[in-house]
């Protein structure tokens, strides 16, 4: 997996202060989707703790109606409550899954923690069954740490 090579590109993208933060996050989504063959939808959600909702900031992949997700609902909503990574090898086996596309088979969601608070998450859907490894998880945690540092 090209994660080592991607780290330098992602670091450079996130630190490019000539671009707005949302544009940098979008570029990270594009890099991930174009480089990792089984990353079919990549997006960043951010939390509104007052309304207890997640709001989609930017993404690449198939269009989605899930731009606002209540805490606790779906995989993303569960991560907003648990503050923990959630790797789903088979979305059909999850009772609390929000289907974005019938072709999605797996999902990984990693929280973005800043000053001890869950402020958002990266969400990745895959059309491949059980594609995510601990290497994906560590890499995405690293991205979330870098994202938190620019916010």
């Amino acid at each position: 997996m090209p994660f080592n090579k991607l780290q330098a590109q992602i670091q450079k993208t996130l630190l490019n202060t000539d671009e707005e933060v949302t544009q940098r996050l979008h570029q990270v989504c594009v890099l991930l989707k174009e480089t990792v063959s089984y990353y079919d939808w990549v997006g960043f959600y951010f939390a509104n703790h007052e309304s207890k909702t997640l709001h989609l900031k930017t993404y690449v992949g198939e269009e989605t109606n899930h731009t606002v997700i209540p805490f606790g609902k779906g995989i993303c909503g569960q991560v907003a409550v648990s503050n923990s990574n959630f790797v789903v090898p088979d979305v059909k086996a999850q009772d609390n899954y929000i289907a974005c596309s019938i072709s999605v088979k797996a999902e990984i969601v990693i929280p973005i923690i800043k000053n001890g608070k869950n402020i958002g998450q990266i969400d990745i859907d895959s059309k491949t069954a059980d594609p995510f490894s601990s290497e994906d998880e560590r890499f995405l945690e690293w991205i979330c740490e870098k994202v938190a540092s620019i916010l």
Side-chain angles (χ1 to χ4, degrees), residues 12 14 20 36 39 66 69 75 78 80 84 86-87 89 91 94 96 107 110 118 122 132-133 147 151:
K12 183 178 177 185
L14 289 174
E20 297 275 333
V36 185
Y39 286 12
H66 304 290
I69 299 174
I75 307 308
Q78 290 177 76
S84 299
F86 201 153
V87 181
V91 295
Q94 288 295 314
N96 192 9
E107 183 174 11
I110 308 294
N118 184 341
I122 190 169
F132 304 115
S133 68
V147 168
L151 299 175

Side-chain angles (χ1 to χ4, degrees), residues 45-98:
Y45 284 91
F46 287 92
N48 178 322
H49 289 279
E50 286 181 21
S51 65
K52 294 192 182 313
T53 52
L54 294 165
H55 298 262
L56 185 59
K57 186 79 147 175
T58 188
Y59 72 96
V60 293
E62 289 181 31
E63 199 170 315
T64 181
N65 294 327
H66 304 290
T67 58
V68 178
I69 299 174
F71 284 13
K73 186 164 171 68
I75 307 308
C76 291
Q78 290 177 76
V79 170
V81 173
S82 72
N83 302 321
S84 299
N85 299 350
F86 201 153
V87 181
V88 182
D90 177 7
V91 295
K92 289 180 183 164
Q94 288 295 314
D95 292 339
N96 192 9
Y97 172 69
I98 301 172

Side-chain angles (χ1 to χ4, degrees), residues 10 12 14 16 21 26 30 44 56 58 65 67 82 88 105 120-121 125 134-135 151:
I10 289 169
K12 183 178 177 185
L14 289 174
N16 179 7
V21 169
H26 186 76
V30 170
F44 285 98
L56 185 59
T58 188
N65 294 327
T67 58
S82 72
V88 182
K105 297 196 180 347
Q121 52 201 231
D125 292 343
S134 60
E135 189 181 5
L151 299 175

Side-chain angles (χ1 to χ4, degrees), residues 24-45:
R24 289 183 258 167
L25 293 175
H26 186 76
Q27 289 171 3
V28 168
C29 292
V30 170
L31 270 171
L32 291 174
K33 185 176 182 305
E34 288 181 353
T35 308
V36 185
S37 64
Y38 52 92
Y39 286 12
D40 296 302
W41 190 97
V42 180
F44 285 98
Y45 284 91

